[in-house]
Amino acid sequence: MVVNVGNVVSSAQAVADRYREFSWQQARGRSDAHEELTARISQDPEFCDLLSGSLPAGNKQQPNLLLAAVRYLDGPHAEQGPHGEAAYGRWREWTIRHWDEVRAVIMRRSNQTNEPARCATLLPLLARLPQPLALLEVGASAGLCLQPDRYRYRYQYEGRSGGARGAGVADATGVAGVTGATEAADVTELGAAESPATYVCRVSGDSRAGGASRQSGESRAGLGAGTAAADATPSDPFPGPHPDPLPTRLPDIVWRAGIDLNPLDPVAEPDDLRWLQALVWPGEGDRAQRLSAAVDAVRPAPRPRIVRGDLLDELPALAAEAPPGATLVVFHTTVLAYLPLARREEFARLVRSLLAEREGPGHWISNEHHTVLPWITAPAHRSLRPEDTHLLTLALDERPVALTGPHGQSLRWLDEAAPRD
């Protein structure tokens, strides 16, 4: 069967290719259950014909959506996935028998995994921007990444020779409502004192790579980023010749808001939490635990305002609501891949324009796969190692700063992006 939806051709073979690529490129080495299941689907022409004929081409044909929908409905092998041909046959039979229900979930829901542990990779930039901050997340999902000051963090250095990071850590203690940074030779901890959520992040690369985001006022203005600063915090988030870019205290956040096509509230809506849990892959028990802990951590906090709508349509009006005395931070993580390149370019132009016209300071933080914003990442990624291909690129004002794990588990500073004296 071949279906033309909005000039996008969808065929059973195209669906099979998509599932084969997902099994090999995404699930392999991460979830044995999803790797096997999607590989078997890719070799099942009749089932691929069902998918291509009854689901719109594009995002609704994502393997993640189908897999999560079956798990959400308590389909067979919801936790472990099929193992062997007979098990796949049972999964297939159940899914076809319940296809109307499965399709309804796919059409109603989106692949909007909200991974709060990514805050561990965002925090070093947020903490060094001019305070206080106004956070605006594009693709906010449940808004868990809008609450970085509600979690604890444990940064583990890799390849360090030992010794303290330097002076200044003791100054962070005693901040009301948080625990200041504490450290051993290879570990730094900080965050909300009583938070049930603690995120561990491996750190590598020369700390001097923090200088990657040092820019002159002229170059920053060319990118549309604000240049004003609070007296105590320079507008350059990495001042000095060779700073250590890890934070010593939590950022001061005075305003937070987000945009999403389908906002979720896992605190107030158990069904939203159930969907987020269904999106966690089998074999990733740590992610499921982090999700539950994050929901508990933000439960006492006021809910961030999350506007339902398209990111390009809603961004200007929402950004205008940010307090003028705060640094506006427009940020997103693994969101823009769902847009065609032309829309990504339009989004970039819009963010530059908004920040350039803003009276107060503003910055843009992106955390996307390096193929998503190629004009940002190409110069710094010419020598990516094969094992780095799945990593995200953390960039400040369109300048790469670090490679990060997709779930916030690692942070490697890009010293090749640092300016040369």
Side-chain angles (χ1 to χ4, degrees), residues 59 334-340 344 368-369 372:
N59 288 335
T334 67
V335 169
L336 298 189
Y338 298 106
L339 301 180
R344 286 177 246 155
E368 303 280 353
H369 191 264
V372 171

Side-chain angles (χ1 to χ4, degrees), residues 64-332:
N64 260 343
L65 270 181
L66 171 64
L67 303 176
V70 174
R71 286 163 60 80
Y72 173 83
L73 294 169
D74 287 327
H77 313 284
E79 292 306 317
Q80 299 304 319
H83 295 283
E85 186 174 349
Y88 173 67
R90 290 191 293 272
W91 182 93
R92 182 186 192 274
E93 187 275 333
W94 185 95
T95 302
I96 293 175
R97 180 158 41 90
H98 294 85
W99 181 245
D100 288 346
E101 301 166 64
V102 173
R103 185 182 185 279
V105 172
I106 292 173
M107 297 305 295
R108 186 174 78 253
R109 294 290 188 176
S110 303
N111 180 28
Q112 51 189 151
T113 305
N114 201 183
E115 179 51 78
R118 290 180 186 140
C119 288
T121 57
L122 300 174
L123 194 70
L125 296 188
L126 295 176
R128 287 187 176 261
L129 292 175
Q131 307 291 308
L133 304 181
L135 299 185
L136 198 169
E137 183 180 12
V138 174
S141 184
L144 297 179
C145 287
L146 281 165
Q147 307 270 17
D149 49 342
R150 292 281 170 177
Y151 312 130
R152 283 195 59 78
Y153 305 90
R154 180 181 177 88
Y155 294 98
Q156 297 180 341
Y157 297 88
E158 294 182 342
R160 295 289 294 249
S161 59
R165 285 194 300 137
V169 173
D171 295 339
T173 59
V175 178
V178 305
T179 297
T182 59
E183 63 177 293
D186 299 309
V187 176
T188 294
E189 293 188 11
L190 76 157
E194 304 300 327
S195 177
T198 298
Y199 302 130
V200 178
C201 181
R202 303 186 310 274
V203 181
S204 60
D206 192 335
S207 66
R208 292 176 298 176
S213 45
R214 282 187 288 138
Q215 304 170 57
S216 68
E218 290 80 2
S219 65
R220 210 171 12 245
L223 295 172
T227 58
D231 292 339
T233 309
S235 60
D236 186 339
F238 295 106
H242 298 302
D244 189 329
L246 285 183
T248 58
R249 65 179 67 216
L250 294 174
D252 177 16
I253 303 169
V254 296
W255 182 87
R256 54 193 104 206
I259 304 168
D260 201 275
L261 288 173
N262 184 30
L264 302 178
D265 187 349
V267 173
E269 299 293 338
D271 200 52
D272 285 351
L273 177 58
R274 180 178 175 83
W275 175 244
L276 286 174
Q277 291 169 333
L279 286 165
V280 176
W281 293 9
E284 293 187 329
D286 289 348
R287 285 190 66 203
Q289 293 172 7
R290 290 198 300 268
L291 174 61
S292 297
V295 172
D296 289 341
V298 305
R299 196 177 299 277
R303 304 285 184 276
R305 181 183 175 212
I306 301 181
V307 175
R308 182 185 299 272
D310 179 83
L311 56 91
L312 286 167
D313 295 338
E314 302 297 338
L315 183 58
L318 190 58
E321 297 180 18
T327 297
L328 174 63
V329 183
V330 177
F331 75 99
H332 48 90

Side-chain angles (χ1 to χ4, degrees), residues 393-404:
T393 298
L394 180 67
L396 175 66
D397 298 327
E398 300 187 82
R399 189 160 187 176
V401 174
L403 297 178
T404 69

Side-chain angles (χ1 to χ4, degrees), residues 28-50:
R28 184 169 177 259
R30 178 177 159 191
S31 172
D32 292 343
H34 277 2
E35 179 185 359
E36 178 181 348
L37 177 53
T38 51
R40 290 186 179 278
I41 291 174
S42 73
Q43 299 168 12
D44 187 337
E46 291 183 2
F47 193 79
C48 290
D49 194 56
L50 169 67

